[in-house]
Amino acid sequence: MKRLISFASVLVLGLLLAVGAMAQADSFGPVRSAIRNSNARELAQLFAPNVELSFDDGDKQSYSATQAEFVMKDFFAKHSPASFDFIHYGGSNEGTPYAVGKYVGKDGTYRMFVKMKQTGGSLKIDNIAFTKE
């Protein structure tokens, strides 16, 4: 009987974790689409009022959503994606969702980190970081 209860508990926990991971993946779907399409305007619609962007050259700055749109437009123009996908989803202890992706551009491959935060009742992009592999 104890084995059955333990098995059932593990099964329920596993299902809850799977549902949580799928929910996080869904919240990053529009982000994935905007990046795959090199669409800075579409991506900017998902930005928090202030966004921190960092690139492999060490430039790490906070921008307004409008400024960040132009920075991403410039990045996409210089490093247009051949492919992009998220390879890992997670969340902090406070529930802040993040995703790690692989961005393959015409000039190389980048590891991309995207962190979201709750803003005005919805999840918005708070941070994007590109690190060249």
Side-chain angles (χ1 to χ4, degrees):
M1 186 67 171
K2 281 186 174 182
R3 291 177 111 183
L4 182 60
I5 292 172
S6 294
F7 177 74
S9 298
V10 169
L11 183 62
V12 168
L13 180 61
L15 288 172
L16 289 174
L17 289 174
V19 168
M22 287 180 3
Q24 284 183 339
D26 288 346
S27 63
F28 284 96
V31 177
R32 179 188 311 107
S33 175
I35 294 168
R36 283 183 177 169
N37 296 324
S38 301
N39 192 329
R41 178 169 292 280
E42 187 180 320
L43 188 62
Q45 300 302 312
L46 306 168
F47 286 159
N50 290 299
V51 183
E52 185 175 277
L53 301 178
S54 59
F55 300 93
D56 198 45
D57 61 6
D59 184 24
K60 182 178 189 177
Q61 289 187 316
S62 184
Y63 299 95
S64 71
T66 304
Q67 292 171 317
E69 177 182 348
F70 289 108
V71 171
M72 290 306 303
K73 185 176 182 178
D74 184 54
F75 178 83
F76 289 146
K78 292 178 183 174
H79 314 280
S80 61
S83 68
F84 171 76
D85 211 349
F86 286 117
I87 56 176
H88 174 75
Y89 299 95
S92 70
N93 291 338
E94 295 81 32
T96 303
Y98 66 86
V100 178
K102 185 174 184 178
Y103 182 98
V104 179
K106 62 182 178 182
D107 67 332
T109 301
Y110 295 84
R111 180 73 44 165
M112 185 178 178
F113 175 80
V114 179
K115 182 180 80 170
M116 299 181 99
K117 72 176 182 179
Q118 195 77 311
T119 303
S122 63
L123 286 172
K124 297 290 186 176
I125 297 171
D126 180 57
N127 184 312
I128 297 178
F130 289 90
T131 305
K132 195 162 188 174
E133 292 186 332

